[in-house]
Amino acid sequence: MEVLADTHERDASVRAMSRIVDGQLDMTFDVRADDLGSVRAIVQAHLTWWRIDSESSFRMLTVVNELLTNVMQHTPADDDGHRMASLLLQRVPGGIAAVVRDQDPRPPVYVAPNLIAEDGRGLMLLRALADETSVTATTAGKDIWAFIVTPGTSEHI
C-alpha cells in the first residue's frame, strides 16, 4: 500500500490521507468546497488508469461529487469544525463501486425537488446515474454505496 498524501504533518488545518492498492483508492479527508475539484481529479486519474470507459467515468465522477457535496451540505461539523468523510473507490467484477462514509447517522431523505430550486436533486441524481445504491448505518455514522456497471469488466480483477 502506498501513501499518496498525508497532510497531518504539513498543515494542521488540512486533514487528509490517501492510499492506493491495485484497483482500489481509499481517501479520508475534511470535506470542503475548495477541495472537491482536487478529489474529482484524483478519482478521474484512477478511473483513467484503470481504463474505465468515459461514460462510466463521467457517471462515477458525478456520483462521487454528489455524495461528497451532500456530506458538506447535510452533515454537521465536529467539535473542530471539520466534516470528515472517507471515499473508497474500487474496481470490482462487472464495474466500479464507491462508498462514502460520513459521521452523521441520519440516512439521506428523498424530497421531490422544486423545479426552480438549485438544490434538492442529489438522491434523484444518484438513482439515475448509479446502477445500484445502498445506505448502511454504522456505529460511526453511515455508508452510502454506489455501483456502476462498466462494459468489458466482467473478467476477474
Side-chain angles (χ1 to χ4, degrees):
M1 195 174 321
E2 179 182 341
V3 176
L4 294 179
D6 184 351
T7 60
H8 290 289
E9 295 179 15
R10 288 188 326 164
D11 180 354
S13 66
V14 178
R15 295 166 42 181
M17 183 185 288
S18 177
R19 292 192 171 114
I20 60 166
V21 179
D22 189 33
Q24 182 177 2
L25 167 67
D26 189 4
M27 302 173 67
T28 301
F29 52 94
D30 182 9
V31 181
R32 301 182 313 183
D34 293 345
D35 300 326
L36 289 180
S38 296
V39 172
R40 284 191 307 269
I42 292 168
V43 169
Q44 177 63 62
H46 280 80
L47 294 171
T48 300
W49 181 33
W50 298 337
R51 293 178 177 80
I52 303 299
D53 66 284
S54 60
E55 179 188 344
S56 300
S57 291
F58 173 79
R59 290 170 57 202
M60 184 54 78
L61 277 170
T62 305
V63 164
V64 166
N65 188 69
E66 193 58 41
L67 290 174
L68 294 174
T69 299
N70 286 346
V71 170
M72 192 175 59
Q73 292 177 342
H74 301 294
T75 300
D78 64 17
D79 292 340
D80 296 326
H82 299 285
R83 287 177 178 81
M84 296 302 294
S86 65
L87 167 64
L88 175 64
L89 185 70
Q90 188 169 11
R91 287 180 62 197
V92 296
I96 46 178
V99 180
V100 172
R101 172 174 286 167
D102 66 44
Q103 301 170 340
D104 187 357
R106 297 174 299 165
V109 177
Y110 178 79
V111 178
N114 179 326
L115 294 178
I116 59 172
E118 292 183 17
D119 57 5
R121 292 175 176 78
L123 286 178
M124 183 176 66
L125 190 58
L126 180 64
R127 289 176 179 162
L129 292 172
D131 295 302
E132 295 181 46
T133 62
S134 177
V135 178
T136 304
T138 68
T139 57
K142 69 179 167 294
D143 291 352
I144 301 179
W145 173 84
F147 175 75
I148 293 177
V149 174
T150 57
T153 57
S154 58
E155 72 274 1
H156 187 276
I157 295 179

